[in-house]
Structure formats: structure tokens, C-alpha cells
Amino acid sequence: MGTIVWTAPSVEEQELWNAQQRDDKNAYIAALARTDVFVARPIDASAKTGFRKDPYYTLVRHGRKQMVPVYTRGVLPEQPPEDSYWDKLMFPQWVQKVAARRDSIQLLIDGGTPLERVVNAGEAAAWVKQNPQRVLYLHDLEGVIRVLTNEPQDGELARGLACNAHLSVTNGRPWNTMERPYVDYPDTVRRNKQLWFISGPVEWQNKIDKLLDREQFPWPADSVFSIRMESGAAVRPTEDLDTDTAALTEAVNAWCDRYAAMPETRRDMVDIAEWILRLESWMRRDEVLPPDGIVQTQAVFHWARCINMAREGYACGYWDRTAGQEIVQHAGRLCGRTYEDWRQLSAAYIIGRVIQMGRTGRAETLYAQSLTRHRVLMRDPASPWVRLSLR
């Protein structure tokens, strides 16, 4: 029999393939215990409102037996079964829940692909319990650069996706995936209802349009950056943070006087001005910025969110892949016109993220996490920021 030639789409599938070639069941389970998997669940009323219920699996007939289809990310089918969505889970935690209910259940791993193998849930759960040091959790995937070889790795779409690499790495997702329809459907629905009050394609598109057009729909931080660049206040940082802060806050207060800003708006903008200069000083200290560097605009924080929302809108079935790709490419082109390189883009993303999410007490934690992501993206040979140019 000739040797089967097959290219694995990710590191995880390569480990499964190596085990499959050796017919090594334990090595196969060990590879599963280090990755996320996808299981089909019915889209019922609870899924549409963002709340999941049992069961942990759906049985289908495979030959003469009933089995649970389980897929790894790189070979996930384009569409889930009818009236279903793909539930993303960490295999070791999920298989223990399945085995606790019925340890004789059979799992069909990556059916219809060269990785296909039937695994007993009870045996897999027992292996996980016996080898806790070889098991990964979701947080272990966070901060790791993951890539799929069957998704774009160069070209305009890849550059657009790379502009959102900070968030992809933070979430433990391959940086270059457009996702699949109905992946994590309930979680995405719930999250966007809670955070952005979005519950359908029209609201989704309206939000993206506003994020893309930062000039017509500026956030307070956008206004502060514009005030600094127009006034020239603190555009050449001194070694005295207090002096720079006084100059920028004076310019912000003058702008607020000119446009009769509400008191709460003034307080917010002055606070943002102080945080911009504080964060820039941290980034110069940590060599994210050059010794005299500043951030001119945080626009990438909005555009990166557009890229993420384009993927999530596709995952929710609000538009097709082509429409999602167009949004990603548009946002990527805006980033390329605004920033000279990935380092400059990264500094702007960090400052935007901390200002928008961390000023109420989490600033240091968010900054430290973002700094770690920045260093990984700038140094890891697998990083799109090492392999691609921004422009």
C-alpha cells in the first residue's frame, strides 16, 4: 500500500495525523486533549436567546452505530447539520462530562477526513484523568499564535485579518480564520446583545458602518487625539510627564470651552488625555514606542473590532463569506493607510484598548496583557506581523 500524502491544516491536526499514521490511540487522545473541538448542537429557543441547555452532544448514525461527530478546527465542515450550530469546546473537559453521563458513547473524530477515528468517550475521559499534566484548558491557548494553512496567509484578506491579531491571539483563535457559519452561535448572540445591543443583521451593519467612519462618529478618545494633533500640545514628549499632561489638558479644556462641552464630557476627555500620556510613557519605557514616539490615532481599535464583527456576523449567518471578507479588507486598507508598520499599529491598538476598557481600575492588567501579546506578535516566526508587511 502506498503512503498517503496529506497536508495538515494546523499544528493540532498534524499531531493527530502523526498519531493516526502510527495507529497510536493514546497519542491520538493526547493530541485531542490539547485542543479545542466542535460539536453540533440544535438551534432551539435557548440557542437563539444566547442560553445553552443539555444535551452535551447529538447522536448520528455512522454505519450501524450511533456516534457523536466531533471535529477539530482545521477540518470543520463549511456548514453545520441542518438547524444546528457548532459549539466550540475544549475536548478534555467536554469528554469527561459526556463520559459521566454515558461512558460507552462512541465519538467519531473528524469523520470523512484522513484523521477519522472512533474514540470511546469513557476511555478518553480515563486518559484525561490519568494524565492531567498533558491536558490543556482554554486559557492555555490564549496568547499563542495559531494559524490555519487552508485559510489565507498572504494577500489583502490576510493583511486585514492580521490587523486584528491582538484580539485573535488573546482569544486563542487562529489569526487568519474567517470562521465558519454558526460557530459559537449562542455565545456570539448573547455577547453582542449585552455589549452592543445588537440582535440582527441591520443593527450589526449599522455598528460596523459607525466604527469604520470614525470622523463622522468619533468617540471621546478620538476627539482628544485630534485636539492634540491640531494644537501641537505634547506632540514632542518631554521627560516631565506632568508638564506634558498640563499642556494637553489645557488644550482639551480650551476645546471644551469653545464647543460648550457638557461637564461630564469635559471630565471624561481630560481623564482620557491624562491616560494617553501615561500609556505612551509606559510604551516608551517598554520599547513599544521609540524614545520620542507618540500615538497619533487609536483608529485601529475601532477597525480591529470591525474585523472581528465581520467574522462574527458571518458566524451568525447575517451575511455570506464574501460580504464578511469585504469588510475585513476595507478595514485592513484603512489600517495600511493610517499606520506605517505593525509596531505603530500595535501601539495604537494597545492605547485604544486600555482607554476604552481599562480606565476604571484594570488599566495595569490590560496593559500588561496587551504588552505580552505585542511582544509575541512582533517576535514569533509564526506571527503574521513577522511574515507580512502592513502595506
Side-chain angles (χ1 to χ4, degrees), residues 43-187:
I43 296 180
D44 54 13
S46 65
K48 291 179 180 178
T49 56
F51 293 95
R52 293 183 292 189
K53 296 181 179 179
D54 284 343
Y56 286 106
Y57 54 82
T58 300
L59 288 168
V60 299
R61 182 167 295 282
H62 183 69
R64 296 183 177 182
K65 296 182 178 180
Q66 295 277 0
M67 297 185 183
V68 181
V70 180
Y71 291 95
T72 51
R73 186 184 289 272
V75 295
L76 185 66
E78 281 293 330
Q79 294 286 341
E82 187 176 0
D83 296 325
S84 299
Y85 69 94
W86 295 118
D87 195 10
K88 185 179 76 171
L89 307 146
M90 287 301 290
F91 179 82
Q93 291 78 48
W94 173 77
V95 77
Q96 290 182 83
K97 294 176 181 178
V98 171
R101 299 178 63 192
R102 184 178 170 189
D103 62 6
S104 62
I105 202 76
Q106 300 293 305
L107 312 177
L108 177 63
I109 310 297
D110 290 340
T113 79
L115 302 176
E116 179 178 316
R117 192 180 188 98
V118 176
V119 174
N120 175 266
E123 290 183 11
W127 187 96
V128 168
K129 289 181 181 179
Q130 294 165 7
N131 298 274
Q133 74 283 0
R134 300 176 67 183
V135 170
L136 294 186
Y137 295 83
L138 183 59
H139 64 80
D140 294 312
L141 299 181
E142 296 169 357
V144 177
I145 294 179
R146 304 175 70 190
V147 61
L148 294 175
T149 60
N150 55 1
E151 290 276 17
Q153 297 184 75
D154 54 38
E156 189 175 39
L157 179 58
R159 283 186 173 84
L161 292 168
C163 292
N164 190 42
H166 258 284
L167 186 58
S168 295
V169 172
T170 296
N171 291 340
R173 177 172 56 190
W175 69 266
N176 66 330
T177 180
M178 279 295 298
E179 287 294 8
R180 295 284 191 269
Y182 297 102
V183 165
D184 265 354
Y185 178 75
D187 287 343

